[in-house]
Amino acid sequence: MRVLILGGTSEASTLVKRLDPRIDATLSLAGRTSAPKREPVRTRIGGFGGPEGLTAWIAENRIEAVIDATHPFAAQIGRNAALTCKRTGVALLAIRRPAWERRPGDLWTEVETMAEAALALGEMTRRVFLTIGRLEVGAFTTAPQHDYVVRSIEPIGDALPVPRLAEIAARGPFDEAAETAFLAERRIEILVTKNSGGPATYGKIAAARALGIPVVIVRPPRKPDVASVPDAEGALAWLERRLDC
Ligand code: NAP
């Protein structure tokens, strides 16, 4: 069975490592990181050119099923996959990682966008830890009064031109003990994150709760209404069922 896996997440990584040998899979990455982790399946990198490009690619490669294993904050590619699969009749399954739920002790301010997150930091100067990836840090240019610590996989370049900025290049997962030490060492007063869900980056949420540090948390965008499972195991079971049909 020829399967396209739209990836860029830990779920996609788990999935491609455990595929049934009867599955001929291609993993697709957007190409946002310059040195993505190598995976044990054929990998293509770069956009398809919208739903039309994706439709053409699926036809050329005789794809029989698509797994949308993209990140909860990747809003566009899931819509393109839903539209393409509806038009072409190719089976589609999405892995939809549940968002984190607020727990007692969490000091969360929930917002819809990065622009709102920047506003939510307030007027007073604070030491802010930004763990939102590299691409959206520019939204905080509107709040230059803060001291920023930015952690991302790749350098942010000049995307956040503010007077006080420390950059840390690192790739998760990050556990709670390491995050607690980090927040304390860096004297972080407020954390900004996406509500990405999943265990790999939950450590900072648990650490902030334990230290009484407030968190500005961006809600995930709405995704199209398609068949979904919460994790890679669910997608493996779905593929097995299709193989057995
Ligand atoms: P997006 O807004 O949904 O996608 C923008 C465009 O990038 C899409 O229209 C598509 O271009 C291309 N694209 C996205 N994912 C692709 C994939 N897996 N394979 C081929 N092309 C892809 O996505 P994004 O927020 O820019 O994220 C890009 C990728 O990074 C996603 O695959 C996602 O899983 C991963 N990621 C995102 C975040 C995040 O916070 N956004 C965090 C971790 C990982 P065409 O229209 O030209 O096909």
mmCIF file of all heavy atoms in Angstrom, residues 179-231:
data_model
loop_
_atom_site.group_PDB
_atom_site.id
_atom_site.type_symbol
_atom_site.label_atom_id
_atom_site.label_comp_id
_atom_site.label_asym_id
_atom_site.label_seq_id
_atom_site.Cartn_x
_atom_site.Cartn_y
_atom_site.Cartn_z
ATOM 1 N N GLU A 179 13.839 21.550 32.721
ATOM 2 C CA GLU A 179 13.119 22.811 32.497
ATOM 3 C C GLU A 179 13.028 23.625 33.791
ATOM 4 O O GLU A 179 13.132 24.853 33.777
ATOM 5 C CB GLU A 179 11.705 22.545 31.960
ATOM 6 C CG GLU A 179 11.665 21.908 30.582
ATOM 7 C CD GLU A 179 12.117 22.825 29.459
ATOM 8 O OE1 GLU A 179 13.239 23.359 29.545
ATOM 9 O OE2 GLU A 179 11.347 22.989 28.503
ATOM 10 N N THR A 180 12.845 22.925 34.924
ATOM 11 C CA THR A 180 12.765 23.633 36.213
ATOM 12 C C THR A 180 14.097 24.328 36.484
ATOM 13 O O THR A 180 14.141 25.507 36.857
ATOM 14 C CB THR A 180 12.427 22.634 37.352
ATOM 15 O OG1 THR A 180 11.232 21.936 36.985
ATOM 16 C CG2 THR A 180 12.214 23.337 38.671
ATOM 17 N N ALA A 181 15.196 23.588 36.259
ATOM 18 C CA ALA A 181 16.528 24.170 36.480
ATOM 19 C C ALA A 181 16.738 25.359 35.546
ATOM 20 O O ALA A 181 17.246 26.412 35.953
ATOM 21 C CB ALA A 181 17.599 23.102 36.257
ATOM 22 N N PHE A 182 16.326 25.202 34.305
ATOM 23 C CA PHE A 182 16.516 26.249 33.305
ATOM 24 C C PHE A 182 15.748 27.522 33.681
ATOM 25 O O PHE A 182 16.290 28.627 33.659
ATOM 26 C CB PHE A 182 16.046 25.725 31.939
ATOM 27 C CG PHE A 182 16.215 26.700 30.819
ATOM 28 C CD1 PHE A 182 17.396 26.764 30.103
ATOM 29 C CD2 PHE A 182 15.186 27.574 30.492
ATOM 30 C CE1 PHE A 182 17.548 27.687 29.076
ATOM 31 C CE2 PHE A 182 15.336 28.490 29.462
ATOM 32 C CZ PHE A 182 16.521 28.550 28.759
ATOM 33 N N LEU A 183 14.470 27.365 34.041
ATOM 34 C CA LEU A 183 13.643 28.533 34.379
ATOM 35 C C LEU A 183 14.217 29.271 35.594
ATOM 36 O O LEU A 183 14.217 30.505 35.635
ATOM 37 C CB LEU A 183 12.194 28.110 34.674
ATOM 38 C CG LEU A 183 11.394 27.536 33.496
ATOM 39 C CD1 LEU A 183 10.009 27.076 33.962
ATOM 40 C CD2 LEU A 183 11.240 28.564 32.380
ATOM 41 N N ALA A 184 14.739 28.488 36.553
ATOM 42 C CA ALA A 184 15.293 29.102 37.763
ATOM 43 C C ALA A 184 16.615 29.810 37.441
ATOM 44 O O ALA A 184 16.807 30.983 37.797
ATOM 45 C CB ALA A 184 15.495 28.034 38.835
ATOM 46 N N GLU A 185 17.512 29.113 36.731
ATOM 47 C CA GLU A 185 18.830 29.697 36.381
ATOM 48 C C GLU A 185 18.686 31.001 35.611
ATOM 49 O O GLU A 185 19.412 31.950 35.830
ATOM 50 C CB GLU A 185 19.556 28.741 35.427
ATOM 51 C CG GLU A 185 20.637 27.891 36.027
ATOM 52 C CD GLU A 185 20.961 26.754 35.064
ATOM 53 O OE1 GLU A 185 21.024 26.998 33.841
ATOM 54 O OE2 GLU A 185 21.109 25.612 35.558
ATOM 55 N N ARG A 186 17.739 30.983 34.677
ATOM 56 C CA ARG A 186 17.556 32.157 33.792
ATOM 57 C C ARG A 186 16.660 33.221 34.422
ATOM 58 O O ARG A 186 16.340 34.213 33.792
ATOM 59 C CB ARG A 186 16.955 31.704 32.464
ATOM 60 C CG ARG A 186 17.865 30.801 31.673
ATOM 61 C CD ARG A 186 18.746 31.630 30.781
ATOM 62 N NE ARG A 186 19.773 30.834 30.150
ATOM 63 C CZ ARG A 186 20.577 31.306 29.199
ATOM 64 N NH1 ARG A 186 20.441 32.548 28.777
ATOM 65 N NH2 ARG A 186 21.505 30.557 28.688
ATOM 66 N N ARG A 187 16.189 32.963 35.627
ATOM 67 C CA ARG A 187 15.316 33.894 36.371
ATOM 68 C C ARG A 187 14.112 34.321 35.520
ATOM 69 O O ARG A 187 13.768 35.493 35.430
ATOM 70 C CB ARG A 187 16.125 35.114 36.856
ATOM 71 C CG ARG A 187 17.194 34.741 37.879
ATOM 72 C CD ARG A 187 18.065 35.912 38.273
ATOM 73 N NE ARG A 187 18.978 36.280 37.198
ATOM 74 C CZ ARG A 187 18.899 37.349 36.433
ATOM 75 N NH1 ARG A 187 17.927 38.222 36.620
ATOM 76 N NH2 ARG A 187 19.759 37.578 35.476
ATOM 77 N N ILE A 188 13.490 33.311 34.904
ATOM 78 C CA ILE A 188 12.351 33.585 34.015
ATOM 79 C C ILE A 188 11.136 34.003 34.856
ATOM 80 O O ILE A 188 10.824 33.379 35.874
ATOM 81 C CB ILE A 188 12.014 32.330 33.169
ATOM 82 C CG1 ILE A 188 13.194 31.951 32.268
ATOM 83 C CG2 ILE A 188 10.714 32.524 32.377
ATOM 84 C CD1 ILE A 188 13.629 32.999 31.258
ATOM 85 N N GLU A 189 10.458 35.068 34.417
ATOM 86 C CA GLU A 189 9.276 35.565 35.130
ATOM 87 C C GLU A 189 7.970 35.211 34.429
ATOM 88 O O GLU A 189 6.905 35.217 35.049
ATOM 89 C CB GLU A 189 9.377 37.084 35.278
ATOM 90 C CG GLU A 189 10.531 37.480 36.185
ATOM 91 C CD GLU A 189 10.786 38.968 36.160
ATOM 92 O OE1 GLU A 189 10.758 39.568 35.068
ATOM 93 O OE2 GLU A 189 11.031 39.528 37.234
ATOM 94 N N ILE A 190 8.053 34.930 33.125
ATOM 95 C CA ILE A 190 6.841 34.548 32.390
ATOM 96 C C ILE A 190 7.255 33.753 31.149
ATOM 97 O O ILE A 190 8.310 34.030 30.555
ATOM 98 C CB ILE A 190 5.976 35.789 32.031
ATOM 99 C CG1 ILE A 190 4.619 35.373 31.461
ATOM 100 C CG2 ILE A 190 6.703 36.753 31.105
ATOM 101 C CD1 ILE A 190 3.564 36.483 31.529
ATOM 102 N N LEU A 191 6.437 32.771 30.822
ATOM 103 C CA LEU A 191 6.748 31.868 29.711
ATOM 104 C C LEU A 191 5.689 32.049 28.623
ATOM 105 O O LEU A 191 4.515 32.223 28.942
ATOM 106 C CB LEU A 191 6.712 30.442 30.284
ATOM 107 C CG LEU A 191 6.669 29.232 29.385
ATOM 108 C CD1 LEU A 191 8.016 29.039 28.705
ATOM 109 C CD2 LEU A 191 6.366 27.994 30.221
ATOM 110 N N VAL A 192 6.118 32.021 27.365
ATOM 111 C CA VAL A 192 5.150 32.067 26.260
ATOM 112 C C VAL A 192 5.318 30.801 25.438
ATOM 113 O O VAL A 192 6.439 30.463 25.023
ATOM 114 C CB VAL A 192 5.369 33.284 25.336
ATOM 115 C CG1 VAL A 192 4.301 33.310 24.235
ATOM 116 C CG2 VAL A 192 5.356 34.587 26.117
ATOM 117 N N THR A 193 4.224 30.105 25.210
ATOM 118 C CA THR A 193 4.292 28.851 24.452
ATOM 119 C C THR A 193 3.002 28.641 23.661
ATOM 120 O O THR A 193 1.973 29.243 23.950
ATOM 121 C CB THR A 193 4.535 27.662 25.410
ATOM 122 O OG1 THR A 193 4.653 26.468 24.638
ATOM 123 C CG2 THR A 193 3.406 27.478 26.413
ATOM 124 N N LYS A 194 3.120 27.767 22.655
ATOM 125 C CA LYS A 194 1.906 27.300 21.973
ATOM 126 C C LYS A 194 1.352 26.124 22.779
ATOM 127 O O LYS A 194 2.138 25.364 23.347
ATOM 128 C CB LYS A 194 2.269 26.781 20.577
ATOM 129 C CG LYS A 194 2.804 27.844 19.653
ATOM 130 C CD LYS A 194 3.300 27.221 18.357
ATOM 131 C CE LYS A 194 3.746 28.295 17.396
ATOM 132 N NZ LYS A 194 4.380 27.764 16.178
ATOM 133 N N ASN A 195 0.048 25.950 22.767
ATOM 134 C CA ASN A 195 -0.511 24.748 23.393
ATOM 135 C C ASN A 195 -0.415 23.620 22.368
ATOM 136 O O ASN A 195 -1.372 23.282 21.680
ATOM 137 C CB ASN A 195 -1.957 24.954 23.845
ATOM 138 C CG ASN A 195 -2.440 23.782 24.683
ATOM 139 O OD1 ASN A 195 -1.881 22.683 24.575
ATOM 140 N ND2 ASN A 195 -3.450 23.981 25.484
ATOM 141 N N SER A 196 0.802 23.036 22.301
ATOM 142 C CA SER A 196 1.088 22.024 21.277
ATOM 143 C C SER A 196 0.656 20.629 21.696
ATOM 144 O O SER A 196 0.639 19.720 20.860
ATOM 145 C CB SER A 196 2.590 22.005 20.981
ATOM 146 O OG SER A 196 2.989 23.254 20.479
ATOM 147 N N GLY A 197 0.361 20.428 22.996
ATOM 148 C CA GLY A 197 -0.018 19.097 23.467
ATOM 149 C C GLY A 197 1.164 18.130 23.416
ATOM 150 O O GLY A 197 2.258 18.490 22.981
ATOM 151 N N GLY A 198 0.917 16.905 23.899
ATOM 152 C CA GLY A 198 1.935 15.848 23.828
ATOM 153 C C GLY A 198 2.966 15.944 24.941
ATOM 154 O O GLY A 198 3.133 16.988 25.568
ATOM 155 N N PRO A 199 3.672 14.822 25.164
ATOM 156 C CA PRO A 199 4.607 14.774 26.290
ATOM 157 C C PRO A 199 5.970 15.442 26.021
ATOM 158 O O PRO A 199 6.642 15.865 26.958
ATOM 159 C CB PRO A 199 4.815 13.260 26.517
ATOM 160 C CG PRO A 199 4.497 12.625 25.190
ATOM 161 C CD PRO A 199 3.501 13.516 24.503
ATOM 162 N N ALA A 200 6.393 15.555 24.754
ATOM 163 C CA ALA A 200 7.788 15.942 24.456
ATOM 164 C C ALA A 200 8.153 17.326 24.992
ATOM 165 O O ALA A 200 9.301 17.555 25.372
ATOM 166 C CB ALA A 200 8.039 15.880 22.949
ATOM 167 N N THR A 201 7.198 18.240 25.043
ATOM 168 C CA THR A 201 7.522 19.596 25.494
ATOM 169 C C THR A 201 6.660 20.022 26.689
ATOM 170 O O THR A 201 6.574 21.210 27.002
ATOM 171 C CB THR A 201 7.353 20.614 24.328
ATOM 172 O OG1 THR A 201 6.002 20.518 23.825
ATOM 173 C CG2 THR A 201 8.326 20.349 23.200
ATOM 174 N N TYR A 202 6.058 19.023 27.350
ATOM 175 C CA TYR A 202 5.202 19.359 28.495
ATOM 176 C C TYR A 202 6.023 19.764 29.724
ATOM 177 O O TYR A 202 5.516 20.438 30.627
ATOM 178 C CB TYR A 202 4.282 18.180 28.852
ATOM 179 C CG TYR A 202 3.241 18.550 29.879
ATOM 180 C CD1 TYR A 202 2.168 19.374 29.540
ATOM 181 C CD2 TYR A 202 3.351 18.122 31.198
ATOM 182 C CE1 TYR A 202 1.229 19.751 30.484
ATOM 183 C CE2 TYR A 202 2.411 18.491 32.156
ATOM 184 C CZ TYR A 202 1.357 19.307 31.788
ATOM 185 O OH TYR A 202 0.430 19.688 32.726
ATOM 186 N N GLY A 203 7.302 19.388 29.748
ATOM 187 C CA GLY A 203 8.161 19.658 30.909
ATOM 188 C C GLY A 203 8.126 21.114 31.352
ATOM 189 O O GLY A 203 8.070 21.413 32.548
ATOM 190 N N LYS A 204 8.115 22.038 30.397
ATOM 191 C CA LYS A 204 8.135 23.469 30.753
ATOM 192 C C LYS A 204 6.828 23.886 31.437
ATOM 193 O O LYS A 204 6.823 24.755 32.303
ATOM 194 C CB LYS A 204 8.380 24.319 29.508
ATOM 195 C CG LYS A 204 7.291 24.199 28.466
ATOM 196 C CD LYS A 204 7.690 24.791 27.134
ATOM 197 C CE LYS A 204 6.675 24.380 26.084
ATOM 198 N NZ LYS A 204 7.107 24.661 24.731
ATOM 199 N N ILE A 205 5.721 23.244 31.046
ATOM 200 C CA ILE A 205 4.418 23.576 31.641
ATOM 201 C C ILE A 205 4.400 23.110 33.102
ATOM 202 O O ILE A 205 3.995 23.851 34.005
ATOM 203 C CB ILE A 205 3.273 22.895 30.849
ATOM 204 C CG1 ILE A 205 3.275 23.369 29.379
ATOM 205 C CG2 ILE A 205 1.917 23.112 31.505
ATOM 206 C CD1 ILE A 205 2.843 24.794 29.171
ATOM 207 N N ALA A 206 4.878 21.879 33.311
ATOM 208 C CA ALA A 206 4.928 21.334 34.674
ATOM 209 C C ALA A 206 5.912 22.137 35.528
ATOM 210 O O ALA A 206 5.641 22.435 36.702
ATOM 211 C CB ALA A 206 5.339 19.865 34.624
ATOM 212 N N ALA A 207 7.035 22.530 34.929
ATOM 213 C CA ALA A 207 8.054 23.296 35.665
ATOM 214 C C ALA A 207 7.496 24.667 36.057
ATOM 215 O O ALA A 207 7.686 25.116 37.197
ATOM 216 C CB ALA A 207 9.307 23.448 34.806
ATOM 217 N N ALA A 208 6.801 25.327 35.127
ATOM 218 C CA ALA A 208 6.232 26.649 35.421
ATOM 219 C C ALA A 208 5.212 26.539 36.555
ATOM 220 O O ALA A 208 5.163 27.372 37.464
ATOM 221 C CB ALA A 208 5.581 27.226 34.167
ATOM 222 N N ARG A 209 4.407 25.476 36.521
ATOM 223 C CA ARG A 209 3.407 25.261 37.577
ATOM 224 C C ARG A 209 4.105 25.123 38.936
ATOM 225 O O ARG A 209 3.739 25.771 39.908
ATOM 226 C CB ARG A 209 2.594 24.003 37.272
ATOM 227 C CG ARG A 209 1.491 23.715 38.291
ATOM 228 C CD ARG A 209 0.914 22.303 38.117
ATOM 229 N NE ARG A 209 0.524 22.075 36.752
ATOM 230 C CZ ARG A 209 0.895 21.013 36.017
ATOM 231 N NH1 ARG A 209 1.636 20.058 36.541
ATOM 232 N NH2 ARG A 209 0.515 20.894 34.775
ATOM 233 N N ALA A 210 5.163 24.287 38.956
ATOM 234 C CA ALA A 210 5.865 24.026 40.218
ATOM 235 C C ALA A 210 6.517 25.298 40.761
ATOM 236 O O ALA A 210 6.559 25.502 41.977
ATOM 237 C CB ALA A 210 6.921 22.937 40.002
ATOM 238 N N LEU A 211 7.003 26.144 39.871
ATOM 239 C CA LEU A 211 7.706 27.359 40.313
ATOM 240 C C LEU A 211 6.781 28.564 40.456
ATOM 241 O O LEU A 211 7.220 29.649 40.834
ATOM 242 C CB LEU A 211 8.823 27.702 39.305
ATOM 243 C CG LEU A 211 9.977 26.685 39.192
ATOM 244 C CD1 LEU A 211 10.881 27.038 38.014
ATOM 245 C CD2 LEU A 211 10.791 26.631 40.484
ATOM 246 N N GLY A 212 5.489 28.386 40.116
ATOM 247 C CA GLY A 212 4.533 29.508 40.211
ATOM 248 C C GLY A 212 4.771 30.576 39.156
ATOM 249 O O GLY A 212 4.499 31.751 39.373
ATOM 250 N N ILE A 213 5.295 30.159 37.987
ATOM 251 C CA ILE A 213 5.579 31.112 36.902
ATOM 252 C C ILE A 213 4.367 31.174 35.958
ATOM 253 O O ILE A 213 3.887 30.127 35.507
ATOM 254 C CB ILE A 213 6.854 30.679 36.128
ATOM 255 C CG1 ILE A 213 8.064 30.801 37.046
ATOM 256 C CG2 ILE A 213 7.042 31.504 34.854
ATOM 257 C CD1 ILE A 213 9.357 30.264 36.447
ATOM 258 N N PRO A 214 3.885 32.393 35.653
ATOM 259 C CA PRO A 214 2.749 32.480 34.724
ATOM 260 C C PRO A 214 3.124 32.084 33.295
ATOM 261 O O PRO A 214 4.284 32.233 32.888
ATOM 262 C CB PRO A 214 2.336 33.957 34.781
ATOM 263 C CG PRO A 214 3.398 34.673 35.500
ATOM 264 C CD PRO A 214 4.296 33.687 36.190
ATOM 265 N N VAL A 215 2.132 31.601 32.575
ATOM 266 C CA VAL A 215 2.333 31.118 31.202
ATOM 267 C C VAL A 215 1.309 31.792 30.292
ATOM 268 O O VAL A 215 0.114 31.753 30.582
ATOM 269 C CB VAL A 215 2.139 29.583 31.130
ATOM 270 C CG1 VAL A 215 2.275 29.077 29.697
ATOM 271 C CG2 VAL A 215 3.135 28.864 32.045
ATOM 272 N N VAL A 216 1.788 32.405 29.218
ATOM 273 C CA VAL A 216 0.875 32.876 28.167
ATOM 274 C C VAL A 216 0.855 31.768 27.128
ATOM 275 O O VAL A 216 1.900 31.397 26.575
ATOM 276 C CB VAL A 216 1.370 34.199 27.539
ATOM 277 C CG1 VAL A 216 0.444 34.615 26.402
ATOM 278 C CG2 VAL A 216 1.460 35.291 28.603
ATOM 279 N N ILE A 217 -0.325 31.215 26.888
ATOM 280 C CA ILE A 217 -0.404 29.997 26.065
ATOM 281 C C ILE A 217 -1.366 30.237 24.894
ATOM 282 O O ILE A 217 -2.489 30.699 25.089
ATOM 283 C CB ILE A 217 -0.780 28.786 26.960
ATOM 284 C CG1 ILE A 217 -0.628 27.474 26.204
ATOM 285 C CG2 ILE A 217 -2.139 28.908 27.589
ATOM 286 C CD1 ILE A 217 -0.497 26.253 27.117
ATOM 287 N N VAL A 218 -0.866 29.965 23.684
ATOM 288 C CA VAL A 218 -1.651 30.224 22.475
ATOM 289 C C VAL A 218 -2.464 28.971 22.144
ATOM 290 O O VAL A 218 -1.921 27.864 22.074
ATOM 291 C CB VAL A 218 -0.734 30.594 21.284
ATOM 292 C CG1 VAL A 218 -1.561 30.965 20.054
ATOM 293 C CG2 VAL A 218 0.203 31.733 21.662
ATOM 294 N N ARG A 219 -3.764 29.176 21.946
ATOM 295 C CA ARG A 219 -4.650 28.043 21.609
ATOM 296 C C ARG A 219 -4.355 27.548 20.193
ATOM 297 O O ARG A 219 -4.071 28.354 19.303
ATOM 298 C CB ARG A 219 -6.112 28.470 21.662
ATOM 299 C CG ARG A 219 -6.630 28.723 23.050
ATOM 300 C CD ARG A 219 -8.164 28.718 23.020
ATOM 301 N NE ARG A 219 -8.681 28.974 24.341
ATOM 302 C CZ ARG A 219 -9.052 30.186 24.777
ATOM 303 N NH1 ARG A 219 -8.987 31.225 23.984
ATOM 304 N NH2 ARG A 219 -9.508 30.336 26.003
ATOM 305 N N PRO A 220 -4.485 26.241 19.960
ATOM 306 C CA PRO A 220 -4.239 25.732 18.602
ATOM 307 C C PRO A 220 -5.328 26.173 17.622
ATOM 308 O O PRO A 220 -6.470 26.392 18.028
ATOM 309 C CB PRO A 220 -4.243 24.209 18.775
ATOM 310 C CG PRO A 220 -4.844 23.937 20.098
ATOM 311 C CD PRO A 220 -4.806 25.179 20.924
ATOM 312 N N PRO A 221 -4.978 26.296 16.336
ATOM 313 C CA PRO A 221 -5.984 26.664 15.335
ATOM 314 C C PRO A 221 -6.950 25.505 15.099
ATOM 315 O O PRO A 221 -6.637 24.355 15.408
ATOM 316 C CB PRO A 221 -5.139 26.911 14.071
ATOM 317 C CG PRO A 221 -3.905 26.097 14.270
ATOM 318 C CD PRO A 221 -3.645 26.052 15.745
ATOM 319 N N ARG A 222 -8.108 25.836 14.538
ATOM 320 C CA ARG A 222 -9.075 24.781 14.193
ATOM 321 C C ARG A 222 -8.557 23.992 13.005
ATOM 322 O O ARG A 222 -7.955 24.548 12.096
ATOM 323 C CB ARG A 222 -10.419 25.406 13.814
ATOM 324 C CG ARG A 222 -11.208 25.867 15.023
ATOM 325 C CD ARG A 222 -12.530 26.448 14.578
ATOM 326 N NE ARG A 222 -13.426 25.410 14.052
ATOM 327 C CZ ARG A 222 -14.197 24.649 14.820
ATOM 328 N NH1 ARG A 222 -14.182 24.802 16.128
ATOM 329 N NH2 ARG A 222 -14.984 23.743 14.292
ATOM 330 N N LYS A 223 -8.816 22.690 13.028
ATOM 331 C CA LYS A 223 -8.386 21.821 11.930
ATOM 332 C C LYS A 223 -9.627 21.279 11.219
ATOM 333 O O LYS A 223 -10.707 21.223 11.819
ATOM 334 C CB LYS A 223 -7.571 20.656 12.493
ATOM 335 C CG LYS A 223 -6.261 21.080 13.148
ATOM 336 C CD LYS A 223 -5.149 21.120 12.124
ATOM 337 C CE LYS A 223 -3.795 21.221 12.788
ATOM 338 N NZ LYS A 223 -2.727 20.724 11.968
ATOM 339 N N PRO A 224 -9.482 20.852 9.961
ATOM 340 C CA PRO A 224 -10.661 20.328 9.271
ATOM 341 C C PRO A 224 -11.193 19.065 9.934
ATOM 342 O O PRO A 224 -10.458 18.337 10.604
ATOM 343 C CB PRO A 224 -10.154 20.039 7.860
ATOM 344 C CG PRO A 224 -8.686 20.092 7.919
ATOM 345 C CD PRO A 224 -8.281 20.854 9.139
ATOM 346 N N ASP A 225 -12.493 18.853 9.727
ATOM 347 C CA ASP A 225 -13.180 17.736 10.355
ATOM 348 C C ASP A 225 -12.964 16.476 9.506
ATOM 349 O O ASP A 225 -13.690 16.252 8.542
ATOM 350 C CB ASP A 225 -14.666 18.131 10.435
ATOM 351 C CG ASP A 225 -15.447 17.156 11.270
ATOM 352 O OD1 ASP A 225 -14.812 16.377 12.017
ATOM 353 O OD2 ASP A 225 -16.692 17.158 11.156
ATOM 354 N N VAL A 226 -11.941 15.702 9.856
ATOM 355 C CA VAL A 226 -11.657 14.453 9.118
ATOM 356 C C VAL A 226 -11.458 13.333 10.142
ATOM 357 O O VAL A 226 -11.311 13.607 11.336
ATOM 358 C CB VAL A 226 -10.384 14.590 8.226
ATOM 359 C CG1 VAL A 226 -10.555 15.704 7.206
ATOM 360 C CG2 VAL A 226 -9.130 14.813 9.053
ATOM 361 N N ALA A 227 -11.443 12.094 9.657
ATOM 362 C CA ALA A 227 -11.215 10.951 10.562
ATOM 363 C C ALA A 227 -9.872 11.164 11.261
ATOM 364 O O ALA A 227 -8.891 11.544 10.620
ATOM 365 C CB ALA A 227 -11.186 9.655 9.760
ATOM 366 N N SER A 228 -9.849 10.918 12.571
ATOM 367 C CA SER A 228 -8.596 11.188 13.286
ATOM 368 C C SER A 228 -8.377 10.203 14.420
ATOM 369 O O SER A 228 -9.310 9.543 14.891
ATOM 370 C CB SER A 228 -8.601 12.618 13.824
ATOM 371 O OG SER A 228 -9.579 12.738 14.827
ATOM 372 N N VAL A 229 -7.126 10.126 14.838
ATOM 373 C CA VAL A 229 -6.714 9.334 15.997
ATOM 374 C C VAL A 229 -5.782 10.235 16.810
ATOM 375 O O VAL A 229 -5.232 11.193 16.268
ATOM 376 C CB VAL A 229 -5.975 8.038 15.560
ATOM 377 C CG1 VAL A 229 -6.911 7.040 14.910
ATOM 378 C CG2 VAL A 229 -4.796 8.351 14.645
ATOM 379 N N PRO A 230 -5.598 9.926 18.109
ATOM 380 C CA PRO A 230 -4.785 10.855 18.908
ATOM 381 C C PRO A 230 -3.274 10.641 18.798
ATOM 382 O O PRO A 230 -2.505 11.507 19.206
ATOM 383 C CB PRO A 230 -5.249 10.576 20.349
ATOM 384 C CG PRO A 230 -5.805 9.194 20.317
ATOM 385 C CD PRO A 230 -6.297 8.931 18.929
ATOM 386 N N ASP A 231 -2.847 9.485 18.273
ATOM 387 C CA ASP A 231 -1.402 9.208 18.328
ATOM 388 C C ASP A 231 -0.961 8.254 17.211
ATOM 389 O O ASP A 231 -1.791 7.737 16.441
ATOM 390 C CB ASP A 231 -1.030 8.623 19.700
ATOM 391 C CG ASP A 231 -1.934 7.460 20.085
ATOM 392 O OD1 ASP A 231 -2.446 6.782 19.169
ATOM 393 O OD2 ASP A 231 -2.133 7.228 21.286
#
